[in-house]
């Protein structure tokens, strides 16, 4: 039966009763709380907690992160290959490599989405982006110095555009207090040093992970140790099974959550 709501499951000694009909067993796999537009609105958790199961706190995962830095407003749509490191104060929470995207007051992309679940209940969050992960600081510094020396009358943003997206180059210059249209022969060694440091650690303050409507999966759920790992049957009520995202388990991007 499809397109019907299950608000309650009752049980006697022999059967489970759903919407007035009797069944021998129940398999609950109605998803978590993420992406309610697709039907997973979190309503299935109470079907299991009513049987005595317990749930861990729920948190959006595989989602973008909202940013509070106003100087990033002009970067909407820009993509960048980088290593993204998520921090809470001085504590490194996690690191991912790949392509990120700057959106309207947010950042996303697979590395950011894989890090998003680590934001739960954390303060002083920020992401540090290594925008040139294939080059060490010394190599990058020598490359920029050589480009500046060979292009004295060329605007400095042209040099940066050979390394990062032009808009991102402007953002780097702005943070290093270098005015647009500054020609290379006016760039000091200290300014080059500042730009290199920014390329290797471009910091973005994070307000929070985006909400459940933007999340692909849910972190948390019904505790897995309350179910058999071999049969997926409840250890509390015989005949009740659960699988998928309703359980306290989630994976990274790449289709892994479909295996749950």
């Amino acid at each position: 039966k499809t397109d019907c709501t299950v608000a309650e499951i009752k049980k006697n000694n022999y059967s489970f009763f759903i919407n007035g009909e009797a069944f021998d067993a129940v398999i609950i796999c109605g998803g978590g709380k993420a992406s309610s537009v697709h039907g997973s609105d979190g309503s299935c958790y109470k079907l299991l907690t009513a049987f005595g199961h317990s749930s861990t706190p729920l948190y959006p995962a595989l989602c973008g992160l909202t940013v509070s830095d106003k100087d990033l407003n002009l970067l909407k749509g820009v993509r960048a290959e980088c290593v993204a490191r998520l921090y809470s104060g001085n504590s490194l929470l996690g690191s991912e490599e790949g392509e990120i995207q700057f959106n309207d007051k947010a950042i996303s992309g697979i590395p950011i989405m894989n890090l998003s679940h680590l934001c739960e209940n954390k303060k002083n969050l920020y992401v540090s982006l290594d925008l040139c992960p294939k080059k060490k600081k010394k190599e990058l510094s020598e490359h920029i110095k050589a480009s500046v020396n060979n292009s004295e009358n060329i605007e400095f943003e042209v040099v940066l555009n050979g390394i990062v997206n032009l808009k991102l180059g402007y953002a780097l210059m702005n943070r290093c207090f270098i005015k647009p249209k500054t020609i290379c022969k006016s760039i000091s060694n200290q300014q080059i040093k500042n730009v290199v440091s920014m390329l290797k650690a471009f910091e973005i303050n994070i307000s929070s992970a985006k909400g459940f409507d933007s999340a692909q999966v849910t972190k948390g759920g019904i505790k897995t140790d309350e179910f058999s790992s071999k049969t997926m049957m409840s250890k509390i009520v015989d005949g009740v099974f659960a699988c998928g995202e309703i359980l306290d388990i989630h994976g990274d991007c790449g289709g892994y959550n479909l295996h749950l």
Side-chain angles (χ1 to χ4, degrees), residues 19-247:
N19 295 344
E21 294 190 58
F23 299 91
D24 296 324
V26 175
I27 304 172
I28 299 175
C29 50
K33 195 176 179 180
S35 298
S36 60
V37 67
H38 297 121
S40 51
D41 58 3
S43 60
C44 282
Y45 292 107
K46 65 182 181 181
L47 298 178
L48 285 169
T49 56
F51 282 121
H53 283 285
S54 50
S55 175
T56 63
L58 307 178
Y59 195 79
L62 295 191
C63 60
L65 302 177
T66 58
V67 303
S68 55
D69 294 337
K70 294 181 179 180
D71 65 336
L72 301 181
N73 291 342
L74 297 178
L75 295 180
K76 182 179 179 180
V78 171
R79 296 174 181 268
E81 289 285 338
C82 65
V83 171
R85 298 180 176 91
L86 178 66
Y87 288 87
S88 173
N90 295 323
S91 300
L92 177 64
L93 302 179
S95 176
E96 292 280 340
E97 184 172 2
E99 184 182 76
I100 71 155
Q101 180 173 332
F102 294 87
N103 299 318
D104 186 24
K105 300 179 182 179
I107 52 175
S108 64
I110 290 176
I112 299 301
M113 295 171 72
N114 282 341
L115 292 171
S116 61
H117 73 279
L118 299 173
C119 294
E120 181 182 7
N121 299 325
K122 298 296 191 300
K123 297 181 178 179
N124 303 319
L125 289 165
Y126 69 93
V127 169
S128 178
L129 304 179
D130 182 348
L131 298 168
C132 298
K134 305 301 181 185
K135 291 182 182 291
K136 294 183 178 180
K137 266 191 173 184
K138 182 179 180 181
E139 183 184 1
L140 187 57
S141 179
E142 291 174 351
H143 171 75
I144 293 177
K145 284 180 179 179
S147 298
V148 166
N149 292 333
N150 292 330
S151 311
E152 289 188 345
N153 296 314
I154 300 297
E155 295 167 350
F156 185 58
E157 55 254 42
V158 176
V159 171
L160 289 180
N161 194 30
I163 302 173
V164 293
N165 178 279
L166 182 58
K167 289 183 178 180
L168 194 49
Y170 281 130
L172 288 165
M173 291 173 63
N174 180 58
R175 289 193 174 191
C176 293
F177 303 101
I178 301 173
K179 294 181 179 179
K181 308 303 180 184
T182 299
I183 59 175
C184 286
K185 66 180 179 182
S186 300
I187 298 295
S188 67
N189 286 334
Q190 182 60 50
Q191 286 175 316
I192 292 176
K193 183 179 179 180
N194 293 342
V195 167
V196 170
S197 295
M198 194 70 66
L199 283 166
K200 297 298 288 182
F202 186 80
E203 294 183 1
I204 302 171
N205 292 313
I206 303 300
S207 299
S208 65
K210 300 192 79 172
F212 280 107
D213 285 342
S214 299
Q216 291 188 11
V217 297
T218 305
K219 176 183 179 181
I222 303 297
K223 292 182 178 180
T224 55
D225 60 5
E226 296 176 354
F227 288 83
S228 166
S229 61
K230 294 182 178 180
T231 66
M232 305 307 293
M233 188 172 78
S234 167
K235 295 178 181 178
I236 298 175
V237 181
D238 288 349
V240 171
F241 299 79
C243 61
E245 199 184 333
I246 195 168
L247 298 173

